[in-house]
Amino acid sequence: GDSVTQMEGPVTLSEEAFLTINCTYTATGYPSLFWYVQYPGEGLQLLLKATKADDKGSNKGFEATYRKETTSFHLEKGSVQVSDSAVYFCALGPNTGGFKTIFGAGTRLFVKA
Amino acid sequence: NAGVTQTPKFQVLKTGQSMTLQCAQDMNHNSMYWYRQDPGMGLRLIYYSASEGTTDKGEVPNGYNVSRLNKREFSLRLESAAPSQTSVYFCASTYGGTGGRETQYFGPGTRLLVL
């Protein structure tokens, strides 16, 4: 079945460091791919998304490119801030339809000043 | 717009007690979802409602029931709470149509502790 695997955390970085959080998926066809972010004490909110191969989603300095050949959707940011400390979830929306978005386990990011 | 709202924010129950978690959205979305979030396990779908008047089981429905009261409201009921149901519960909604391929809008969550 469809699945999402993302790197385990926590990830601890200093302010202005480069961030990569790896995400790979297993799915048939062309799923939609998402990154959601959860700040402490809040619900998840969409960070970015991509709906087809080679699409690049971007928002707030974060980017991720839909790579069909490597079945990956890695999240990157060139210079993290303390305010980016949160839990990041990679997610997959199956192209076969249905209502079941599949979420990864989440990666907690700590950014130190 | 308030978006997706959930009540209560926090609840403590004793084993065997019942309770209902409330969720409402004001975005005119057709589809609504209940998830639970446990450490290291991401979000798991409990139940969803593709449209008003319909509900379907998700990945972990045992021990829960749901009601889609109208287009705005989708409640989750625990009839006889168990310690294994200690979790954070999130309600979400999507405009509808393609469900899993759409952006989900989440509420702030209900933190439930079952003793």
Side-chain angles (χ1 to χ4, degrees), chain A residues 30-32 34 36 38 41-46 49 51 87 89 92-106, chain B residues 31 33 35 37 40-43 45 48 50 57-59 90 94 96-109 111:
Chain A
Y30 291 86
S32 293
F34 306 84
Y36 286 87
Q38 183 180 30
E42 299 183 9
L44 281 70
Q45 57 185 275
L46 179 72
K49 64 187 281 189
T51 58
V87 181
F89 292 90
L92 178 156
N95 79 322
T96 51
F99 287 80
K100 298 182 182 180
T101 302
I102 297 164
F103 289 86
Chain B
S31 304
Y33 311 78
Y35 293 93
Q37 182 181 30
M41 301 189 74
L43 272 72
L45 183 64
Y48 66 96
K57 295 178 180 179
E59 184 184 356
F90 288 101
T94 60
T98 54
R101 295 176 68 79
E102 299 177 66
T103 299
Q104 304 221 351
Y105 294 82
F106 286 84
R111 193 172 296 272

Side-chain angles (χ1 to χ4, degrees), chain B residues 19-115:
Chain B
M19 80 163 293
T20 299
L21 283 65
Q22 306 286 354
C23 173
Q25 52 88 12
D26 63 0
M27 296 175 284
N28 200 36
H29 284 175
N30 292 298
S31 304
M32 298 184 74
Y33 311 78
W34 276 106
Y35 293 93
R36 58 178 290 172
Q37 182 181 30
D38 302 295
M41 301 189 74
L43 272 72
R44 293 183 291 170
L45 183 64
I46 304 171
Y47 271 93
Y48 66 96
S49 171
S51 60
E52 187 178 356
T54 69
T55 61
D56 284 286
K57 295 178 180 179
E59 184 184 356
V60 288
N62 290 347
Y64 305 95
N65 285 302
V66 290
S67 296
R68 183 74 183 268
L69 304 168
N70 48 54
K71 190 172 186 178
R72 291 185 62 248
E73 298 173 286
F74 188 39
S75 63
L76 178 72
R77 183 160 178 84
L78 286 70
E79 291 291 352
S80 179
S84 60
Q85 294 178 304
T86 292
S87 189
V88 182
Y89 292 85
F90 288 101
C91 179
S93 68
T94 60
Y95 182 73
T98 54
R101 295 176 68 79
E102 299 177 66
T103 299
Q104 304 221 351
Y105 294 82
F106 286 84
T110 294
R111 193 172 296 272
L112 176 65
L113 175 62
V114 183
L115 301 175

Side-chain angles (χ1 to χ4, degrees), chain A residues 70-101:
Chain A
T70 54
T71 62
S72 64
F73 193 55
H74 303 323
L75 182 67
E76 297 182 335
K77 186 175 186 183
S79 176
V80 294
Q81 305 300 313
V82 172
S83 57
D84 293 326
S85 297
V87 181
Y88 293 83
F89 292 90
C90 186
L92 178 156
N95 79 322
T96 51
F99 287 80
K100 298 182 182 180
T101 302

Side-chain angles (χ1 to χ4, degrees), chain A residues 2 4 8 19 47 54 59 63 77 86:
Chain A
D2 296 347
V4 172
E8 288 189 27
L19 168 70
L47 181 59
D54 300 324
N59 186 25
E63 293 183 341
K77 186 175 186 183

